[in-house]
Amino acid sequence: MDHQAILEELRSISDRLDQLPAGAGEERSQLMARRAELRDLAADTWGGARPREEVVAELRHLEKLRDDLLKHGHVDPVRQSGGGAGGGFGFTGDAWALNRKIDEAHDREGLEKRIRELRTQLDDAG
């Protein structure tokens, strides 16, 4: 695979990731895995590790996706129950279960794994 083909596929994957619906966790995982493969291939092809700035940029992007998911994608049990002290105890369990499903749909586990990999890569590089 040549330099141009790698770049084109990476761009295509980024576009597809940006456009995936919430319930496409498996496809998101597959695309992220392919993107990581292509980046490794690019490093091998171009004679070295990815530039630190590129790794940092990917890390920041993934952290923003995760933070947006947690801030805007999750159900807040207090707000859902009306914020009052009386009753509504089932809402907490329901919110927790719903948030778990949301995480699965967005492949939060895969996202967190890739964030850890990038942090390790940056730590190892110094």
Side-chain angles (χ1 to χ4, degrees):
M1 184 172 254
D2 71 353
H3 176 80
Q4 188 63 32
I6 292 170
L7 290 176
E8 287 175 15
E9 189 172 350
L10 282 169
R11 276 189 220 109
S12 172
I13 288 172
S14 291
D15 290 344
R16 288 170 56 194
L17 283 168
D18 288 341
Q19 297 171 2
L20 281 178
E26 184 175 332
E27 185 177 357
R28 184 176 308 280
S29 292
Q30 291 171 351
L31 288 170
M32 289 175 71
R34 178 61 180 155
R35 182 174 62 185
E37 289 173 13
L38 287 170
R39 287 179 172 161
D40 289 343
L41 178 62
D44 292 342
T45 303
W46 301 324
R50 293 171 52 199
R52 181 177 178 81
E53 298 80 25
E54 186 179 312
V55 175
V56 169
E58 181 183 358
L59 176 61
R60 297 297 173 246
H61 174 72
L62 295 178
E63 287 174 334
K64 182 181 181 328
L65 286 176
R66 182 211 44 215
D67 294 347
D68 286 349
L69 174 63
L70 294 173
K71 184 176 181 180
H72 303 292
H74 278 188
V75 175
D76 181 344
V78 174
R79 292 182 78 198
Q80 191 67 25
S81 68
F89 293 108
F91 286 120
T92 303
D94 293 343
W96 182 80
L98 185 56
N99 286 339
R100 190 175 66 233
K101 292 288 188 189
I102 290 168
D103 287 345
E104 289 170 5
H106 288 277
D107 188 31
R108 182 171 163 209
E109 184 177 323
L111 188 61
E112 296 283 2
K113 179 182 176 197
R114 183 64 181 155
I115 288 170
R116 285 190 304 274
E117 290 170 354
L118 292 171
R119 286 182 179 158
T120 300
Q121 186 177 348
L122 289 171
D123 290 344
D124 290 348

